[in-house]
Amino acid sequence: MSETHIEVCSPATGEIIGSVPIASPDDVAACVKTARAAQAEWGARTLEERCRVLRQVKNVIIDRTDDICDLLSKEQGKPKIEAMVHEVANLVDLIHYFTSEADRILAPEPIPLHLLKHRASYLHWSPRGVVGVIGPWNFPFNICNAPVAVALIAGNGVVVKPSEFTPLIQDLAKEIFVQGGVPEDLIQVVHGYGETGAAVIDNVDMVEFTGSVATGRKVAAQCGERLIPCVTELGGKAPALVLPDANLDRTAGALAWGGFANCGQVCASVERVLVHRSVITPLLDKLLPKIQALEPGNTQEDDAVQIGPLNNRRQRDIVQSRVDDAVSKGAKVMVGGSVIEGPGNFFEPTVLMDVTTDMDIMSHETFGPVLPIMVMDDVSAMVEEANRSHLGLLAYVFSRDAETARVVAEQIEA
Ligand code: NDP
């Protein structure tokens, strides 16, 4: 018999904390149809009216911050304070920005025509129809619902397919949008695996996808088949370049945050540290104690826990395989290096030295609490190494001199 439900497990304890029904392709088609019918009325409302509703949604999010942060801690594993800063505050800020600026952003734009001066041409913005939002499990509240909010402001209906690992938070998000005044039929949530995501793409008018490169490639190809637009926000392998004149106190703090916030499960995480040889010893003196002090724990039980578990067992195994590969090729473990045995998905905060470019950890996304450090002799070699990645999403440069940092940053393809 085929699976009908997804059971959601606590990343900290392995206990089942909820369950959601799996939507079949026919269910997805029906949801898109319902959203499409509701969109006709919503799209006909004035922009001002839609923004008014979204401002109410923003206020409900603020009122329900504790519910959201508690569920994110329970289902995703992150500390509640990070849930507040990274997911709730971000989304609130984004809704505030777009409801304040929508008038300007969606104003018709005159198109200057040099040859046909007797004609007036304008670019008008109209809703696409139904936008499909397919999201990952690392920031499941913010990343799924930022595109939802923007699509709604612009007059669209939405169908959201959250990750199989974090479906519960999207059910709460829908409740919040509806509580704020969004018509219930206009926002649909469908649960399931890749097949459900693919069914969303088969039925909607535009796709906003955030996730891995491998899935993003499939999503873009499927959208291409249907000739519908898609936005893909994919993986990263951000390098952090530490120049000889860097402020090392601030650099050590930034690396600890950049590598270990959300247990390293961030597309913008520092995934490679490239340090000038002249500062490696004092930098390690400042950095290592900070990492040694990070004690992974259950973020549900103690608000003082600074780092939670990895979200799922698959991710924990990927992190272990990256570290094992590096160690087998000569990397030195300075801190951590292993899974913490038990029912949860905990992994020790880890710092590796003596890493080389042939190690997977320097080429493939790790998405976990690991900082591999490479010592280098000159800045041009650091730039070359930074650019040796196809995942040029973000990069960081540390220098006391803003002009030096800018010149280096502009050479990085990210
Ligand atoms: P995945 O690509 O594995 O999954 C993303 C979503 O796509 C999930 O909901 C998944 O469902 C769904 N999906 C899987 N197969 C298909 C398919 N064939 N068609 C349509 N949808 C499908 O990513 P993760 O969830 O593992 O997220 C982590 C990744 O996201 C990392 O690479 C990270 O860097 C990236 N990311 C990028 C960000 C950015 O802004 N650039 C921000 C945050 C994360 P299911 O889970 O059920 O398989």
Side-chain angles (χ1 to χ4, degrees), residues 6 134-139 143 161-165 192-199 201 209-216 218-219 222 232-236 265-268 312 314-315 365 367 393-394:
I6 294 173
I134 302 175
W137 45 262
N138 60 336
F139 295 104
I143 287 182
K161 184 352 221 135
S163 166
E164 84 210 48
F165 295 113
Y193 302 96
E195 188 192 34
T196 305
I201 304 170
F209 170 83
T210 307
S212 64
V213 172
T215 310
K218 288 187 207 161
V219 167
Q222 200 183 335
T232 53
E233 294 273 350
L234 309 178
Q265 303 161 115
V266 188
C267 58
N312 53 76
R314 187 181 76 189
Q315 193 57 35
E365 196 177 38
F367 226 54
L393 188 61
L394 289 109

Side-chain angles (χ1 to χ4, degrees), residues 298-309:
N298 184 343
T299 59
Q300 278 282 285
E301 286 172 355
D302 184 355
D303 284 348
V305 168
Q306 289 183 299
I307 185 165

Side-chain angles (χ1 to χ4, degrees), residues 138-412:
N138 60 336
F139 295 104
F141 184 69
N142 178 26
I143 287 182
C144 282
N145 293 298
V148 167
V150 175
L152 291 173
I153 291 170
N156 300 284
V158 283
V159 176
V160 188
K161 184 352 221 135
S163 166
E164 84 210 48
F165 295 113
T166 50
L168 302 177
I169 190 70
Q170 194 54 36
D171 286 345
L172 175 59
K174 169 161 181 173
E175 193 183 305
I176 288 171
F177 276 96
V178 172
Q179 199 181 331
V182 171
E184 188 160 3
D185 284 353
L186 191 67
I187 170 169
Q188 301 284 327
V189 179
V190 292
H191 294 296
Y193 302 96
E195 188 192 34
T196 305
V200 170
I201 304 170
D202 272 340
N203 288 278
V204 296
D205 306 303
M206 175 179 178
V207 173
E208 165 80 42
F209 170 83
T210 307
S212 64
V213 172
T215 310
R217 193 169 276 133
K218 288 187 207 161
V219 167
Q222 200 183 335
C223 289
E225 281 291 327
R226 294 201 53 228
L227 285 179
I228 58 168
C230 70
V231 177
T232 53
E233 294 273 350
L234 309 178
K237 190 74 198 159
L241 282 65
V242 186
L243 305 193
D245 67 341
N247 175 330
L248 298 181
D249 283 314
R250 291 180 66 174
T251 304
L255 293 177
W257 173 252
F260 298 91
N262 204 26
C263 202
Q265 303 161 115
V266 188
C267 58
S269 273
V270 174
E271 289 247 339
R272 297 176 286 159
V273 187
L274 311 175
V275 185
H276 196 272
R277 191 176 300 279
S278 60
V279 291
I280 184 65
T281 305
L283 178 67
L284 288 179
D285 287 346
K286 293 176 192 299
L287 177 64
L288 297 184
K290 287 185 193 295
I291 312 309
Q292 278 151 346
L294 290 176
E295 279 189 32
N298 184 343
T299 59
Q300 278 282 285
E301 286 172 355
D302 184 355
D303 284 348
V305 168
Q306 289 183 299
I307 185 165
L310 288 154
N311 172 258
N312 53 76
R313 197 45 73 102
R314 187 181 76 189
Q315 193 57 35
R316 193 196 75 168
D317 294 346
I318 290 173
V319 174
Q320 183 71 71
S321 75
R322 297 273 188 275
V323 172
D324 289 348
D325 172 76
V327 170
S328 75
K329 291 173 181 161
K332 186 170 162 197
V333 178
M334 306 298 286
V335 184
S338 304
V339 154
I340 301 171
E341 294 302 340
N345 306 316
F346 291 97
F347 198 93
E348 294 172 337
T350 298
V351 179
L352 300 177
M353 288 284 292
D354 299 343
V355 294
T356 48
T357 53
D358 61 328
M359 298 174 182
D360 289 349
I361 203 147
M362 292 304 277
S363 305
H364 302 286
E365 196 177 38
T366 304
F367 226 54
V370 185
L371 272 187
I373 300 179
M374 191 177 236
V375 181
M376 310 199 75
D377 288 308
D378 65 79
V379 175
S380 58
M382 289 157 86
V383 170
E384 198 176 317
E385 173 55 24
N387 287 338
R388 197 191 50 82
S389 171
H390 68 291
L391 297 170
L393 188 61
L394 289 109
Y396 310 94
V397 180
F398 295 91
S399 162
R400 274 199 171 82
D401 181 53
E403 183 56 17
T404 305
R406 188 187 61 76
V407 169
V408 172
E410 285 182 359
Q411 296 171 57
I412 298 176

